[in-house]
Amino acid sequence: MITLHHCPQTRSMRTLWLLNELDVPFRLVVHPFDKSLRRPEFLSVSPAGRVPALEIDGERMFETGAITEYLCERYSPDRLGRSAASMDRMAWLVWVHFAETISQHVAALTQQHVALYEDHMRSPIVMKIEAARVKKCYDAIEARLSTPLENRDYLLTSGFSAADISVGQAVYMARHFATLEDHPETARWFERISERAAFQASLPDGDGGLYDRDFYPAWEG
């Protein structure tokens, strides 16, 4: 049995979406995004007190990129993953891990807009810089999806994969701080992948999650 430790609207959503796509049995343990993640019993699963954390075959895993690689190699090496013999293997690895580049900027924005509870702690400059960095990430995705002859449906020429899951989840989070209005191919791609049943099943129920609104504009300093 696989056990996923998860907080809604965090990086662990990426692993939840992947498990839903893999259609393998797993148990979901939902944690509040609070100091309880620092309790010794959870730190024994995830030493930095972060999600996702995965328990599988008596072992523990953390770090979304590593989890994605392992689950794909074990359960779906040529459908959601790309094996070493695949021409798309290099691109698959790049985009699976590029998701973390986006997520780092999103984490900074989430801290500024959500986690810091006193206005004097927040910085309009940081908000604007990090939102601009998110848009630079959108530029990279837009360039990948656009070619001189045609537009890709997915990040890989060979079709949908865990690369779309990883980057798609990061974009889902990033859209709370930077819109896709200037990135039409990225918007169409995101709409396409977010219609998938496995994505919908990974969304928070009701009011669960980090965000209480759809969009957080940068403050005017």
Side-chain angles (χ1 to χ4, degrees):
M1 174 62 71
I2 298 169
T3 298
L4 172 63
H5 295 270
H6 169 60
C7 296
Q9 289 185 323
T10 67
R11 288 175 177 88
S12 60
M13 178 184 169
R14 196 175 302 162
T15 306
L16 178 57
W17 181 1
L18 176 60
L19 286 168
N20 286 329
E21 293 278 1
L22 288 169
D23 196 26
V24 296
F26 68 94
R27 182 172 71 100
L28 185 65
V29 179
V30 179
H31 299 268
F33 192 71
D34 60 19
K35 292 181 180 179
S36 65
L37 297 177
R38 301 292 187 267
R39 291 175 180 169
E41 55 267 35
F42 186 72
L43 293 176
S44 70
V45 179
S46 179
R50 299 172 61 186
V51 290
L54 197 74
E55 298 181 74
I56 181 169
D57 295 341
E59 300 290 340
R60 297 170 176 85
M61 292 192 74
F62 46 95
E63 295 300 325
T64 52
I67 290 170
T68 296
E69 285 193 51
Y70 179 80
L71 290 176
C72 286
E73 287 169 5
R74 179 165 177 174
Y75 296 107
S76 187
D78 294 304
R79 181 173 66 87
L80 295 176
R82 293 296 183 272
S83 60
S86 170
M87 293 182 64
D88 267 340
R89 172 67 174 178
M90 185 184 297
W92 185 86
L93 286 169
V94 167
W95 289 101
V96 162
H97 292 283
F98 183 70
E100 273 303 293
T101 298
I102 306 170
S103 292
Q104 284 298 105
H105 301 311
V106 172
L109 286 160
T110 300
Q111 181 184 64
Q112 288 293 317
H113 288 277
V114 179
L116 296 177
Y117 51 87
E118 296 286 350
D119 285 353
H120 72 272
M121 298 176 177
R122 297 171 171 148
S123 167
I125 294 174
V126 172
M127 292 176 182
K128 290 176 182 178
I129 289 173
E130 291 296 337
R133 288 171 174 167
V134 167
K135 290 180 181 179
K136 287 293 185 183
C137 293
Y138 291 169
D139 289 346
I141 301 168
E142 189 78 6
R144 177 65 180 177
L145 294 170
S146 305
T147 67
L149 298 179
E150 60 180 348
N151 295 323
R152 285 187 175 91
D153 286 338
Y154 302 106
L155 291 172
L156 303 185
T157 304
S158 52
F160 180 79
S161 74
D164 297 286
I165 294 171
S166 296
V167 177
Q169 185 275 335
V171 169
Y172 161 77
M173 301 282 284
R175 287 166 62 252
H176 289 87
F177 309 103
T179 71
L180 293 173
E181 61 184 358
D182 296 324
H183 299 84
E185 294 306 323
T186 305
R188 281 189 278 271
W189 161 81
F190 181 76
E191 182 178 5
R192 185 179 305 115
I193 63 173
S194 62
E195 290 175 347
R196 298 178 71 90
F199 171 84
Q200 295 293 324
S202 70
L203 293 171
D205 294 330
D207 296 329
L210 292 176
Y211 308 120
D212 61 6
R213 66 192 77 170
D214 293 332
F215 186 72
Y216 296 80
W219 290 8
E220 293 298 326

